[in-house]
Amino acid sequence: MIWTLTLVFFCCTAASAQANRVEYDYFKYHTIEEINKWKIDMAAAYSDVVTIIDYGQTYENRTIDLLKIGFNGTQKKIIWMDCGIHAREWIAPAFCQYFVKTLLESYKTDPKVEQMMKNMDFYVTPVLNVDGYVFSWINQTTRLWRKNRSPGPCGCTGTDLNRNFYSNWGTVGVSFDCCSQTYPGQGPVSEPEAQAVSQYLGKISDSVLAFLTIHSYGQLLLIPYGHPETIAPNQDELMEVGLAAADAIEKVHGMKYKVGTSPTVLYPNSGSSRDFARLQGVPFCYTFELRDDGTHGFVLPEDQIRPTCEEAYSGAMHIISYAHHKVYNRGASAGGSVCGTVLLALLAYAHTLL
């Protein structure tokens, strides 16, 4: 009986025994040099499931890369996540790093995560707008930089990369003053960063189940499309899944997120990567606008990194789990967790000893 209860205890505490093998502070903001080292360290520490893929160059010739996370396999589906398309939104790269860390800490002890990693690969870009992110770290005068760093035709620098994609480009929510924060560029996909995403996503789009692009701020889950006259063919399902994800977010720390198209809950926009992904046939496309509601805005204090990441992880995993279940038809309770199965078996055995 003592042996039985000991084994039960061991099984149900196994999930907490897996420690992160990379020393890193996930609850502070990091420079690009620190993030780059972290990527290399994660790929080395989890070499069985993590590889780094380069897929583009920025205007200033910095590498754009992603972490590919998953078991080896063929014909696998893909979950895409990118962070930091807007330079000043530092909480977004912080979340991408937290997402990777949490995913990798759980796959050996959570059968559901393990199964997802067998069926799908996670493609995570921690910082998409690398040049802009580097510029935002120079000093306080550059901290709120939003765009990339390519020169504009009127003497100002930068294009809003989330207005530069081939999705109703230049129609609403933009300004063609190149000094504007919402300048969409001289043409659709004119910027090397948008080209990198467009070209790479175009090659893999048939396999991508969900496209999650992480921004701040506003506490929103935005679905396609940003143009008020364009409606996604699966809008009802996108809303249903988004509302359930918002519920999952709220259950963590009580934070409420609004769900809807950009025109209905924020403002119209065009040329977004989210809309481009949906046009490519990716079924589940969402923009996460993380904390907060405007009190701190883009300068979210570091003491809010942890709760922001914890709640957003819950929302993201709901969307990912839904997409996975829809394709692979694995019931939420099919088999339960290993701990649950072993626990029931051991308790049944213990009952026979009484």
Side-chain angles (χ1 to χ4, degrees):
M1 186 65 177
I2 294 175
W3 173 85
T4 301
L5 294 177
T6 300
L7 195 56
V8 170
F9 175 79
F10 174 79
C11 173
C12 292
T13 55
S16 62
Q18 175 70 13
N20 185 7
R21 292 183 285 169
V22 174
E23 292 295 327
Y24 196 75
D25 187 347
Y26 289 90
F27 306 119
K28 63 174 286 187
Y29 297 119
H30 290 276
T31 66
I32 199 65
E33 291 79 14
E34 292 167 337
I35 295 172
N36 287 340
K37 182 180 184 303
W38 168 83
K39 287 184 289 189
I40 294 170
D41 290 345
M42 294 298 276
Y46 297 92
S47 58
D48 54 333
V49 292
V50 178
T51 55
I52 299 175
I53 297 177
D54 298 346
Y55 67 97
Q57 295 287 319
T58 67
Y59 174 77
E60 295 178 341
N61 292 318
R62 294 184 174 92
T63 299
I64 304 170
D65 56 23
L66 58 81
L67 295 178
K68 178 184 177 183
I69 303 168
F71 295 107
N72 290 331
T74 59
Q75 297 182 327
K76 296 181 69 178
K77 297 299 184 181
I78 295 169
I79 302 296
W80 176 284
M81 178 182 292
D82 66 67
C83 295
I85 194 171
H86 288 146
R88 62 193 178 188
E89 298 168 9
W90 288 6
I91 186 60
F95 172 70
C96 258
Q97 293 168 86
Y98 176 88
F99 180 88
V100 168
K101 166 246 192 192
T102 307
L103 191 71
L104 291 174
E105 284 181 349
S106 61
Y107 79 92
K108 290 185 177 179
T109 56
D110 187 333
K112 293 179 182 178
V113 175
E114 180 186 27
Q115 191 61 51
M116 284 196 290
M117 286 179 56
K118 288 179 178 178
N119 293 331
M120 307 185 302
D121 290 323
F122 293 79
Y123 285 27
V124 182
T125 301
V127 183
L128 178 55
N129 180 9
V130 188
D131 293 348
Y133 187 75
V134 170
F135 188 72
S136 73
W137 273 84
I138 293 176
N139 54 46
Q140 286 301 308
T141 65
T142 66
R143 172 63 184 85
L144 295 181
W145 186 260
R146 169 184 171 95
K147 302 184 286 182
N148 76 345
R149 294 296 298 162
S150 64
C154 63
C156 289
T157 299
T159 290
D160 181 352
L161 295 176
N162 205 42
R163 301 292 187 277
N164 191 236
F165 286 84
Y166 197 78
S167 49
N168 293 314
W169 179 85
T171 54
V172 294
V174 301
S175 169
F176 284 96
D177 175 1
C178 80
C179 298
S180 169
Q181 297 277 34
T182 58
Y183 175 63
Q186 298 186 61
V189 202
S190 61
E191 305 307 300
E193 297 87 353
Q195 291 167 16
V197 174
S198 298
Q199 292 169 8
Y200 196 68
L201 189 68
K203 296 176 183 177
I204 63 173
S205 60
D206 288 347
S207 299
V208 180
L209 295 181
F211 181 97
L212 309 179
T213 181
I214 314 300
H215 295 240
S216 73
Y217 60 94
Q219 296 165 203
L220 306 169
L221 288 177
L222 304 177
I223 67 172
Y225 284 95
H227 196 289
E229 297 179 6
T230 307
I231 299 174
N234 61 335
Q235 178 168 298
D236 289 346
E237 186 178 26
L238 286 167
M239 281 296 299
E240 180 183 353
V241 175
L243 288 168
D247 286 342
I249 289 171
E250 185 175 359
K251 288 177 182 177
V252 179
H253 294 295
M255 196 60 63
K256 294 183 181 295
Y257 274 54
K258 292 182 180 180
V259 183
T261 64
S262 189
T264 59
V265 300
L266 187 58
Y267 47 67
N269 67 354
S270 56
S272 72
S273 63
R274 175 202 62 236
D275 289 358
F276 170 75
R278 187 63 194 87
L279 287 171
Q280 289 291 301
V282 179
F284 298 101
C285 301
Y286 293 87
T287 299
F288 278 61
E289 295 283 357
L290 303 179
R291 292 193 190 188
D292 58 4
D293 58 5
T295 302
H296 301 286
F298 300 113
V299 191
L300 192 70
E302 288 186 334
D303 63 8
Q304 291 197 38
I305 295 177
R306 180 192 288 269
T308 301
C309 290
E310 289 173 346
E311 66 200 17
Y313 183 86
S314 182
M317 287 305 290
H318 175 82
I319 296 168
I320 292 165
S321 297
Y322 180 93
H324 176 265
H325 170 74
K326 185 172 183 179
V327 171
Y328 294 98
N329 196 27
R330 302 193 184 280
S333 60
S337 69
V338 170
C339 277
T341 302
V342 175
L343 177 59
L344 289 174
L346 290 173
L347 288 177
Y349 172 72
H351 181 73
T352 67
L353 302 178
L354 297 177

